[in-house]
Amino acid sequence: MKKVLQYVVSLAIAGGLLWFVFKDIDLNELWGKIKQADYRWVGLSAVLSLLAHWSRAYRWALMLNPLGYNPSVFRTTLAVLVGYLANLVFPRAGELARCGTLQKLEGIPFEKSFGAVVAERIADVLMLLMLILLNFVLEFDRLSAFFFNFFGNKFKNPILLLGIGAALVILGIMVYLTFRKNKDRIMQSAFYQKISKVVEGLASGFLSVRNLKNPMVFVFHTLLIWALYYLMTYILCQALPETANLSPLAALTIFVMGSIGMAAPTQGGIGSYHFLVGSIVVLYGLSEQDGITLATFLHAMQGLIFVVVFGIVAFLLTFVLPQKKPVVTDLKAEKI
């Protein structure tokens, strides 16, 4: 029942955001402009998308090596593609789906591959945070103006900002004193134990990078994945006549906002992606109509069509390929 409720809430958020984004948009004009796109750029973006998925799969396989496993990168790529397909149906189910697929194909225990996923997800979060910081540094004037307008002029009031800051400090002190006073009881609670296990799992997953024979290969593929994601966004912007003149810096802003939108708790970033990207591109001279057209085009290609086509092919291949027995190359590492 809890899972059903989460799914319904996620779907409702996506639906509400889509209604808000498209309520004043001429859909016939939007579709007409998308039909005018140069689909040679789309084909190039699809190739880069496959390369990014392969790089992610290679990095995942690399993380499994210290545990004593040496899976086929082709099969880990299939598992990654199936995972992205699952995310379109059930938010946050992609990691579970790809670990289950790899267990089916390679026989690698689910918990082993999932631990490696935790480590690489931490790396991705750090990359996204660095890109957000870089974007704000390079486009501070535009972005600061955007967020001030977004949240309203009332947030320019220094007295209000000081009041909010003071309230947050007081709240922090109260939380600390409450925890200190009831420390033993809180630490024995089921909620605290669950949070502790999650934090320990994240820490152990992150520290597992130290066990790699060549950590710089992991770093290289992490940088490559995000560079390819950015290039896909920039290239797809070139496909539409209205956005072909957008600068690489504008594409970085679109990419960062789109990544935040994709991380939102909605199916495949539907609604949240359109809202954030469609809102931010007006800073670069586009109309609201063209901004939503670009957001729809980018999400349809990157977040839907590429994912569905590649994911279905990968899913069908999992039924054809025979299951392998895992070959543990290092029993000592396997115990770890």
Side-chain angles (χ1 to χ4, degrees), residues 236-279:
L236 285 175
C237 287
Q238 306 305 304
L240 293 176
E242 292 77 15
T243 59
N245 293 324
L246 286 176
S247 67
L249 198 52
L252 175 63
T253 303
I254 293 169
F255 170 61
V256 168
M257 289 299 169
S259 299
I260 296 173
M262 293 299 290
T266 58
Q267 285 83 350
I270 296 174
S272 55
Y273 184 97
H274 301 78
F275 174 72
L276 288 175
V277 173
S279 301

Side-chain angles (χ1 to χ4, degrees), residues 57 60-61 64 69-80 82 95-110 112-114 116-117 318 323-324 326:
W60 188 25
L64 293 170
Y69 300 102
N70 188 27
S72 159
V73 177
F74 174 69
R75 292 179 179 228
T76 54
T77 302
L78 294 181
V80 166
V82 170
E95 287 80 3
L96 303 178
R98 69 159 159 154
C99 292
T101 302
L102 189 64
Q103 183 176 22
K104 177 177 181 289
L105 293 175
E106 293 275 345
I108 297 176
F110 180 91
K112 300 290 186 180
S113 60
F114 190 77
V117 169
T318 62
Q323 179 178 350
K324 290 183 180 179

Side-chain angles (χ1 to χ4, degrees), residues 45-234:
S45 181
V47 173
L48 295 180
S49 176
L50 272 179
L51 183 56
H53 294 322
W54 171 85
S55 182
R56 179 175 292 279
Y58 186 94
R59 186 182 66 172
W60 188 25
L62 194 70
M63 293 298 297
L64 293 170
N65 291 157
L67 303 177
Y69 300 102
N70 188 27
S72 159
V73 177
F74 174 69
R75 292 179 179 228
T76 54
T77 302
L78 294 181
V80 166
L81 294 174
V82 170
Y84 278 117
L85 182 64
N87 262 340
L88 286 181
V89 183
F90 300 104
R92 304 295 171 264
E95 287 80 3
L96 303 178
R98 69 159 159 154
C99 292
T101 302
L102 189 64
Q103 183 176 22
K104 177 177 181 289
L105 293 175
E106 293 275 345
I108 297 176
F110 180 91
E111 64 276 8
K112 300 290 186 180
S113 60
F114 190 77
V117 169
V118 170
E120 64 171 52
R121 281 305 184 192
I122 293 174
D124 288 332
V125 170
L126 292 176
M127 278 297 303
L128 179 57
L129 291 176
M130 286 190 290
L131 285 171
I132 292 173
L133 178 61
L134 175 65
N135 194 209
F136 265 94
V137 170
L138 296 177
E139 289 284 67
F140 179 78
D141 292 338
R142 275 196 176 102
L143 293 177
S144 59
F146 169 77
F147 283 109
F148 272 126
N149 292 331
F150 185 81
F151 290 108
N153 291 328
K154 58 181 179 293
F155 281 89
K156 295 181 181 179
N157 188 332
I159 297 177
L160 179 60
L161 292 176
L162 287 174
I164 294 175
L168 291 174
V169 170
I170 294 172
L171 179 62
I173 293 173
M174 291 176 61
V175 170
Y176 171 75
L177 293 176
T178 302
F179 176 79
R180 187 175 179 180
K181 182 179 180 180
N182 304 281
K183 181 178 178 180
D184 294 335
R185 187 171 62 181
I186 293 175
M187 293 180 68
Q188 293 175 1
S189 66
F191 177 76
Y192 183 87
Q193 294 294 330
K194 185 176 181 179
I195 295 298
S196 296
K197 288 181 179 179
V198 171
V199 172
E200 289 174 5
L202 292 174
S204 62
F206 180 72
L207 293 175
S208 67
V209 178
R210 299 180 305 176
N211 298 325
L212 295 175
K213 294 180 180 179
N214 191 349
M216 292 309 299
V217 178
F218 178 88
V219 174
F220 169 77
H221 278 281
T222 299
L223 295 174
L224 178 62
I225 291 166
W226 286 86
L228 290 170
Y229 286 166
Y230 164 74
L231 286 175
M232 288 164 57
T233 299
Y234 180 66

